Amino acid sequence: MSGFGKVAVLFGGTSAEREVSLNSGSRVLAALQGQGIDAHSFDPAEQPLDALKGYDRAFVALHGRHGEDGTIQGALELMHIPYTGSGVMASALGMDKFRTKLLWRAAGLPIPDYALLTADSDFDEVEEELGLPIFVKPAHEGSSIGISKVKERGTLRAAYAEAAKYDSLVIAERGVMGGEYTVGILGDQALPIIKIEPASEWYDYEAKYNRDDTRYLCPCGLPEAKELEIRKGALEAFRILGGRGWGRVDFLMDEDGNHYFLEVNTAPGMTDHSLVPMAARVNGMEYPALVRRVLEMAAND
């Protein structure tokens, strides 16, 4: 009836971002069903993947490992089921903050200075080279899980130990403190930029999902020419990784008005606090229409 056939909405999963995914997926499912689309929930943590046989399309609302890192995308490829969002390679790259940085730097895009950390790193030297504050993060987690802000000399080692609980690959990144922003990507369009103003010290997990005092500004307050420049750059950043369909590119501003691309999200959140739906709404597209548009763009590599 809808032209989409039987649709599986994949959410939940086994990653550290399971709760966020459950929130995203339930909203997506309700929006699709509300439009008469034959959509069904599918939690890979509770059902074997071969139960997807017989579905005509998949909406990937999984977050984190095994959901937006190319693994579920590869399984859907093998089953010849068109799915939303980026393909195997772009999903894997987008989930890897280190290799994303390598590609963006090679392409000449501005990124914050960073260093890889190991247990044998000279932490004092890294603090000296990057300056304070430093953000320490697992390379393959999302939703700010495992991230610390290092503000005092001598505390980088402890921040590394915290991030290493989540990942064997840990990044130290120079703090760029002129503001946090994000650009939603929908098809070949960069959506209006959103400025994020957390009431907490930085945009951590609590500020993203549980607090109601984080401010989201759209229009973002940047000069029009600067906004257009960054939106164009964000599209380029997304495409360099091979991104398709939809996504989100986060960036930071310094006090001098320079921007630095931070990371890409190839399976953006769709919760009440999520940023792509917010930007789409400012652009005149309400949530159900956004979900439908994403589903329309489902493809195979």
Side-chain angles (χ1 to χ4, degrees), residues 6-12 21 24-30 32-33 37-44 47 52 55 57-62 291 295:
K6 187 179 180 184
V7 178
V9 180
L10 277 61
F11 62 104
S21 176
S24 284
S26 59
R27 288 206 70 204
V28 167
L29 181 65
L32 292 175
Q33 291 176 339
I37 294 168
D38 183 22
H40 305 261
S41 63
F42 192 99
D43 187 343
Q47 296 165 269
L52 284 168
Y55 281 94
R57 216 171 262 234
F59 194 115
V60 180
L62 294 162
V291 171
L295 186 63

Side-chain angles (χ1 to χ4, degrees), residues 69-256:
D69 62 358
T71 52
I72 195 73
Q73 289 77 11
L76 292 165
E77 295 279 340
L78 289 172
M79 287 186 274
H80 305 290
I81 299 172
Y83 55 91
T84 58
S86 292
V88 175
M89 181 191 70
S91 298
L93 286 171
M95 197 68 197
D96 189 323
K97 296 181 179 69
F98 171 53
R99 287 167 179 83
T100 292
K101 291 178 186 302
L102 290 177
L103 281 172
W104 283 352
R105 176 160 278 172
L109 294 176
I111 63 169
D113 291 334
Y114 70 93
L116 284 182
L117 297 180
T118 69
D120 299 324
S121 291
D122 185 331
F123 293 99
D124 292 337
E125 183 179 323
V126 174
E127 287 178 354
E128 186 66 35
E129 285 181 0
L130 294 181
L132 297 179
I134 296 170
F135 286 92
V136 179
K137 49 186 76 173
H140 300 97
E141 290 289 352
S143 293
S144 299
I145 290 168
I147 296 183
S148 303
K149 182 180 180 182
V150 174
K151 298 181 288 184
E152 297 176 12
R153 296 273 183 202
T155 58
L156 182 59
R157 183 184 296 274
Y160 163 76
E162 176 62 24
K165 293 176 185 176
Y166 298 90
D167 201 337
S168 58
L169 191 62
V170 176
I171 294 172
E173 194 172 72
R174 180 173 66 87
V176 178
M177 307 307 295
E180 300 182 56
Y181 299 78
T182 194
V183 186
I185 307 291
L186 187 62
D188 58 0
Q189 179 184 23
L191 298 173
I193 293 173
I194 297 174
K195 183 178 185 185
I196 303 157
E197 290 188 347
S200 49
E201 191 169 351
W202 56 283
Y203 195 42
D204 59 9
Y205 186 95
E206 284 294 309
K208 283 180 178 175
Y209 301 113
N210 298 330
R211 296 178 65 131
D212 291 320
D213 53 2
T214 303
R215 296 180 66 212
Y216 302 98
L217 305 181
C218 190
C220 65
L222 293 174
E224 183 179 3
K226 186 66 176 176
E227 168 152 4
L228 290 174
E229 174 197 347
I230 294 172
R231 285 166 71 174
K232 182 180 177 184
L235 260 181
E236 181 187 358
F238 190 61
R239 287 172 177 159
I240 284 168
L241 299 183
R244 71 161 189 235
W246 70 315
R248 209 188 67 231
V249 178
D250 300 336
F251 70 94
L252 302 169
M253 299 289 292
D254 67 15
E255 291 84 351
D256 298 321

